Amino acid sequence: MTPEKQLQEHQHWMRLALVEARQAAARGEVPVGAVVVAGGRVVGRGSNRVEDLPDPTAHAEILALGAAAGTLGDWRLNEATLYVTLEPCTMCSGALLLARLGALVYGAPDPRAGAVSSQARLLDGNPYGHALEVTGGILAGECAALLQDFFVGKRNSGPAEG
Amino acid sequence: MTPEKQLQEHQHWMRLALVEARQAAARGEVPVGAVVVAGGRVVGRGSNRVEDLPDPTAHAEILALGAAAGTLGDWRLNEATLYVTLEPCTMCSGALLLARLGALVYGAPDPRAGAVSSQARLLDGNPYGHALEVTGGILAGECAALLQDFFVGKRNSGPAEG
């Protein structure tokens, strides 16, 4: 595949992750969304539901990985790619390794809690030894704008969130 | 509370985490169990269900934190203590921080994947700044024996697991 074709494919799937992120925003949650793709189709989706459930572990990535494993009938996701609108945190980076995920594609970096390249590099030195390809910055502007709009709206409409 | 009384209390709750771990063993899963305690009662339980669901994120801690947040109606678990039979991994350590957990008590260390004191110290330098008290080694022998029995049994009865 040419690099241009590869980029178009990444953008295509990232747009579906953005659909999930907008659903989180519509529920008043931090807008992060994810899809897991295997064999050319979406096998799992996730949208941040920490407030909704409530569940501190209900990040988009965790929900999408669980859904994908359910669809494929196997917790090992070596052939799958996770697309997520925001750089994964420590919990989610650990989950990608446990899932033996094939590839990660993310949108915006997370300077505060990102554990792939911002605050830590937890995917380097993979303890399970499988190849995990990482691509960042796909539709980063759109992914970040969604988050910025959410936090600006929150600051203007309610009490400060710790 | 005297140190002796504190130890007895930790052992009491760890025995309930061991009950969860034995349920995982009975299902043929790596035997790890967890309970979340708040206000003197169990508000969430979890037993490793990675193979059962299947879901790579279905560690005992993740399930117990989610259950506790559901019971309490809040994803912030500042007043709660998680008891787990094995030192948490990277994913679960990240989850404890996200949950703003008050205290962690674990049983056996995990030399291979433990992210609290063995392979990493992810709970040091807590990015959310809340106090997270950590105690390790409670009923460590019993917790480790359960895991050793499981892996010895697996080695003797089936193909090697990667």
Side-chain angles (χ1 to χ4, degrees):
Chain A
M1 200 183 292
T2 65
E4 191 175 79
K5 197 99 185 124
Q6 178 71 271
L7 178 63
Q8 281 173 2
E9 191 178 312
H10 283 343
Q11 290 175 338
H12 168 75
W13 299 118
M14 189 61 79
R15 277 190 200 100
L16 297 187
L18 275 163
V19 169
E20 297 296 317
R22 283 190 202 100
Q23 288 180 7
R27 282 194 309 269
E29 303 249 13
V30 177
V32 181
V35 295
V36 176
V37 175
R41 66 189 179 105
V42 173
V43 293
R45 293 164 197 273
S47 166
N48 179 27
R49 294 185 64 189
V50 169
E51 303 284 350
D52 179 33
L53 289 177
D55 182 346
T57 75
H59 281 193
E61 298 94 314
I62 299 290
L63 300 176
L65 291 171
T71 301
L72 299 173
D74 192 346
W75 59 262
R76 296 166 197 82
L77 302 175
N78 303 69
E79 304 296 321
T81 299
L82 177 86
Y83 290 85
V84 56
T85 58
L86 184 67
E87 181 187 352
C89 71
T90 297
M91 173 180 72
C92 293
S93 297
L96 306 184
L97 294 173
L98 289 168
R100 315 293 194 266
L101 190 76
L104 163 70
V105 180
Y106 66 89
D110 183 351
R112 179 168 160 266
V116 174
S117 69
S118 296
Q119 283 291 335
R121 301 188 63 88
L122 294 182
L123 304 184
D124 298 354
N126 178 351
Y128 305 107
H130 75 287
L132 200 174
E133 203 182 311
V134 178
T135 307
I138 300 297
L139 300 183
E142 245 178 279
C143 293
L146 203 56
L147 284 155
Q148 281 152 11
D149 289 353
F150 173 80
F151 285 113
V152 168
K154 221 171 160 67
R155 196 158 55 226
N156 294 344
S157 73
E161 178 68 77
Chain B
M1 200 183 293
T2 65
E4 191 175 79
K5 199 97 185 123
Q6 177 71 271
L7 178 63
Q8 281 174 2
E9 191 178 311
H10 283 343
Q11 290 175 339
H12 168 75
W13 299 119
M14 190 61 80
R15 277 190 200 100
L16 298 188
L18 275 162
V19 169
E20 297 296 316
R22 283 190 202 99
Q23 288 179 8
R27 282 194 308 269
E29 302 250 14
V30 177
V32 181
V35 295
V36 176
V37 176
R41 68 189 177 106
V42 172
V43 293
R45 294 165 196 273
S47 165
N48 179 27
R49 295 185 64 190
V50 169
E51 302 285 351
D52 179 32
L53 288 177
D55 181 346
T57 75
H59 280 193
E61 298 95 315
I62 298 289
L63 300 176
L65 292 172
T71 301
L72 300 174
D74 192 345
W75 59 262
R76 296 166 197 83
L77 302 174
N78 302 69
E79 304 297 320
T81 300
L82 177 86
Y83 289 84
V84 57
T85 59
L86 184 66
E87 181 188 353
C89 70
T90 297
M91 172 181 72
C92 293
S93 297
L96 305 184
L97 294 174
L98 288 170
R100 316 292 194 266
L101 190 76
L104 163 69
V105 180
Y106 66 90
D110 183 351
R112 179 169 161 265
V116 175
S117 68
S118 296
Q119 283 291 335
R121 302 188 62 88
L122 293 183
L123 303 184
D124 298 354
N126 178 352
Y128 305 108
H130 74 287
L132 200 172
E133 203 181 312
V134 178
T135 308
I138 301 295
L139 299 183
E142 245 178 278
C143 293
L146 201 57
L147 284 154
Q148 280 151 13
D149 289 353
F150 173 80
F151 285 112
V152 168
K154 220 171 161 66
R155 197 159 56 225
N156 294 343
S157 72
E161 178 70 75

